[in-house]
Amino acid sequence: MPLINIIRGETIPVAPLNVRTPVFRLPIWAVVVWETVKALAWLVATYVRHWYVTLPATGLTWLYLAHGWQALAALVCGVTVVATGWAFGHRPSWLRFGWWPILARIRRLVYQRRWMAAMVTAKLSVSYDKRTIIPEIRRVRCRTGCDEVTVRMVTGQIPDDFAKASERLAHTFGVRQVKAIPGPTYATVVLVLMRGDSLHETVEPLPVPARPDFTALPIGVQEDGEEYRLRLFGTQVLIVGATGSGKGSVIWSVVRALAGGVADGLVELWGLDPKGGMELGIGRPLFARFASRDFAEMAAMIEQAASTAQERAARLAGQTRQHIPTPDEPLIVLVIDELANLTAYLTERQLKDRIKAALGIVLTQGRAVGVHVVAAIQDPRKEVLPARGLFPTRIGLRLSEPAEVDMVLGDGMRDRGALCDRIPQTQPGIGYVVLEGDPTPMRVRLTYCDDTTIRDMAHDHGRLRLVNGKATGGAA
Ligand SMILES: Nc1ncnc2c1ncn2[C@@H]1O[C@H](COP(=O)(O)OP(=O)(O)OP(=O)(O)O)[C@@H](O)[C@H]1O
Ligand SMILES: [Mg+2]
């Protein structure tokens, strides 16, 4: 007998295994009931999911049907009055619990609308097994000047992937800048979308603290609205910026934050101004020691700072890990403008070598024993400043090339948002810094002290007096 397979009257080829899906015949009413149940479930789910729209809409419809349009108008007026009263009465709580949550809902819809296109064009979508998987928006929060969008990354992505695409995302969403920060849990990243520019205006000089806190010297404002405080204890500070970027304003902001200590003798500022006193000369009475023309004198000053650091380090070894300044043993801060003149452009080789050696000692041994350097330079390359790595704290102002950003602030910092090369020339005093415990750079603006402010400060807090343009000794 021939081997054939006949299933439901159909002849099908012979094979070791023949599988056919069974056919069930459902009555039409069952199909209609099933589709209706599905549609209702979808409606309920949508209603619950978008409660912030559906609930008020239901309430308003009920009010209108039950009490007419007058009740509706009265409610709208009531809510407006309460919201206005709240906004004027207690603005922080109004923003936190009233306005920002509403705005976040609206912004979420806006981001959602462009999300797919943004992820695909920024190459943040992943194609796998003929499917395209895109990162998911988890949460949107609004704050002053920025939105924080928490995103669930696709498996295998890292926050730096988003950091690299940040410029593209900024243009896609029409914001000034996007920063990518590792999220609260693994596999999430927080995109901070900066809207306005809180650093647009020049920052006025801050009041001089009577007793400086060497761990937090107020010298400017941060993009998030906080005061930017510089830690001086335990570090050395390098300011890098192209010409006209505002290096002088960083120096004077630091000096201003220390001026209260100068008056008490807790702080000794040593000024080295190789540009002939152009920058620091105006505040001469604040400086216990000052050199502006004689490079040999500058070398001697740095050598003296080095020997002070070595002597203090030897004496304090095993006793303390942080020297506490006193009038007998003050905090010494070498303020150096245009450091490259001492380390690179000096033609006298012997002098240059002396300066480099002494500076190396101050930078490595001085930071725990109260001998600090605050130096400004235009060019961060190793040929110009071999000791760049010895400055743990660096402030990057406007720079001429993108490659310089990572040299100044550390590897990957430009990708993470430190766009020093994009700072416009019209905004001197703006720069990027890396804050403790924050993997992404912070945009800051330093305070601007004009000549009159510096003169007044030197007069009020300097320990010297200017007589015929020359500083004379003695405490003020
Ligand atoms: N923080 C600031 N806010 C506003 N304007 C500033 C600020 N800092 C500097 N400026 C303006 O920019 C000009 C140049 O600043 P500054 O002399 O400090 O730059 P610089 O980096 O030291 O330049 P150079 O390399 O030529 O010495 C100042 O004259 C001032 O008008
Ligand atoms: Mg300068």
Side-chain angles (χ1 to χ4, degrees), residues 202 242-249 275 338 378 428-429 445-448:
T202 299
T243 176
S245 61
K247 296 185 291 297
S249 71
K275 276 213 291 197
E338 306 294 349
Q378 292 191 19
R445 186 156 203 174
L446 284 305
T447 64
Y448 178 57

Side-chain angles (χ1 to χ4, degrees), residues 263-298:
D264 301 352
L266 277 184
V267 178
E268 240 180 48
L269 299 175
W270 295 12
L272 291 87
D273 190 350
K275 276 213 291 197
M278 281 279 290
E279 182 69 61
L280 304 180
I282 191 168
R284 177 68 187 88
L286 286 163
F287 296 96
R289 304 193 53 181
F290 192 79
S292 60
R293 286 193 181 85
D294 186 353
F295 285 93
E297 194 186 344
M298 293 183 206

Side-chain angles (χ1 to χ4, degrees), residues 138 150-153 159 181-190:
R138 274 290 161 86
T150 309
V151 176
R152 168 84 167 79
M153 293 181 285
I181 304 172
T185 54
Y186 285 119
T188 58
V189 61
V190 178

Side-chain angles (χ1 to χ4, degrees), residues 364-404:
T364 48
Q365 302 191 18
R367 59 203 190 99
V369 296
V371 183
H372 297 271
V373 178
V374 174
I377 197 163
Q378 292 191 19
D379 186 342
R381 282 172 307 144
K382 274 260 157 52
E383 303 87 281
V384 179
L385 183 61
R388 189 181 73 210
L390 300 181
F391 289 91
T393 303
R394 298 180 217 161
I395 299 176
L397 301 170
R398 176 168 53 77
L399 297 173
S400 31
E401 286 169 33
E404 290 180 350

Side-chain angles (χ1 to χ4, degrees), residues 74 81 148 182 184 208 274 302 310 329 331 347 357 360 372 379 387 389 393 412 420 438 451 464:
V81 169
E148 289 178 1
V208 177
I302 301 175
Q310 282 174 318
E329 207 167 67
L331 186 92
T347 42
H372 297 271
D379 186 342
T393 303
C420 297
D438 185 353
D451 292 0
L464 305 175

